[in-house]
Amino acid sequence: MPHAILADSTRLYLIRHGATDSNLRKPYVLQGRSVDLSLSETGRKQAAATAEFLNGHGLKRVYSSQLKRAVETAKIIAETHGIEAIPLADLHECDVGQWEGMDWATIERMHPDHYREFLDDPQRVPYLGGECYGDVLRRTRPVIDELLLRHRGEAIAVVAHNVVNRVFVAHLLGLELGRARDLRQANGCINVIEARGDEVVLVTMNAIFHLDGLQT
């Protein structure tokens, strides 16, 4: 059982949605906010395994981005606690612009200059026609910060996305946002975040032990 939550603290389980068919392709293709796919069969199993693990952790609310893959994951988790999953604006995945639906090898071949510029500084250089990492943090951090304040004394879950999670975790670790590219966020993974007073601490990152045989 998880340790008790103090009255002035919030425990946040920040989760990446289960896999879609785009996530499972080899090589995988970028999936931003424009292509709104549902979970694959594997993704539904990952969501169910995440829900089973979190059952008994006393979740009071489950939130998600408004994209289908996150909403479906959140609903599966919320059902185990007998609560409603609540979609929120501004938690959607990074806008990857013209690179939506493309793999990295194709991107490098078709847009070599912008590809190199992006890899050199994703904090400031956006996906071609989309957002940069700095844009993602400016959009999502106020939403997450407000939830941490609203739910003092409670445990909550937020189901979001690969870039969203990596950027927020990098922020908590005090890393330059460009380093977020080095942080792994598997489909169905859990990050545990504790907020108390003005301090927000990353306790666990990219936990996948509940996904035995279901890793992507």
Side-chain angles (χ1 to χ4, degrees):
M1 290 293 292
H3 63 80
I5 303 172
L6 299 176
D8 61 346
S9 300
T10 307
R11 181 174 301 129
L12 165 62
Y13 297 98
L14 179 62
I15 299 160
R16 186 183 178 193
H17 62 80
T20 67
D21 287 338
S22 288
N23 296 136
L24 297 174
R25 287 180 57 176
K26 303 295 183 184
Y28 74 89
V29 296
L30 274 64
Q31 184 180 210
R33 63 175 298 185
S34 300
V35 177
D36 194 8
L37 298 179
S38 296
L39 295 178
S40 65
E41 181 180 355
T42 296
R44 289 189 289 273
K45 291 178 180 178
Q46 291 169 333
T50 304
E52 182 178 358
F53 172 76
L54 290 174
N55 192 20
H57 282 62
L59 293 183
K60 297 300 182 183
R61 294 288 187 277
V62 178
Y63 298 95
S64 75
S65 108
Q66 295 176 322
L67 294 176
K68 289 177 183 176
R69 54 195 185 269
V71 169
E72 292 173 3
T73 303
K75 284 183 177 179
I76 292 170
I77 295 169
E79 285 173 358
T80 66
H81 290 77
I83 56 179
E84 182 182 5
I86 304 171
L88 296 177
D90 291 329
L91 288 179
H92 59 75
E93 179 60 301
C94 179
D95 184 347
V96 299
Q98 296 180 37
W99 294 347
E100 183 84 58
M102 299 170 66
D103 63 73
W104 283 111
T106 301
I107 292 167
E108 182 179 15
R109 184 177 69 253
M110 294 184 63
H111 306 283
D113 293 339
H114 198 92
Y115 169 82
R116 286 190 294 270
E117 292 172 5
F118 172 77
L119 291 187
D120 286 343
D121 189 10
Q123 178 171 342
R124 299 172 184 83
V125 177
Y127 291 81
L128 186 59
E131 294 179 302
C132 66
Y133 285 3
D135 294 329
V136 174
L137 184 63
R138 284 186 287 271
R139 167 168 57 79
T140 58
R141 182 184 172 186
V143 180
I144 297 173
D145 284 350
E146 196 278 331
L147 293 177
L148 292 173
L149 286 173
R150 185 192 308 174
H151 290 287
R152 291 302 194 200
E154 297 179 338
I156 62 172
V158 171
V159 180
H161 301 270
N162 187 31
V163 176
V164 171
N165 289 10
R166 287 190 295 166
V167 166
F168 192 72
V169 167
H171 159 68
L172 292 182
L173 292 173
L175 299 176
E176 184 174 334
L177 291 188
R179 294 284 305 281
R181 292 188 65 253
D182 301 326
L183 303 179
R184 172 79 169 149
Q185 288 289 289
N187 289 107
C189 76
I190 300 172
N191 306 279
V192 183
I193 296 166
E194 297 273 359
R196 186 179 184 188
D198 294 330
E199 185 178 30
V200 183
V201 177
L202 178 69
V203 178
T204 305
M205 182 178 73
N206 192 42
I208 57 171
F209 45 79
H210 59 291
L211 299 175
D212 187 29
L214 295 172
Q215 294 94 329
T216 55

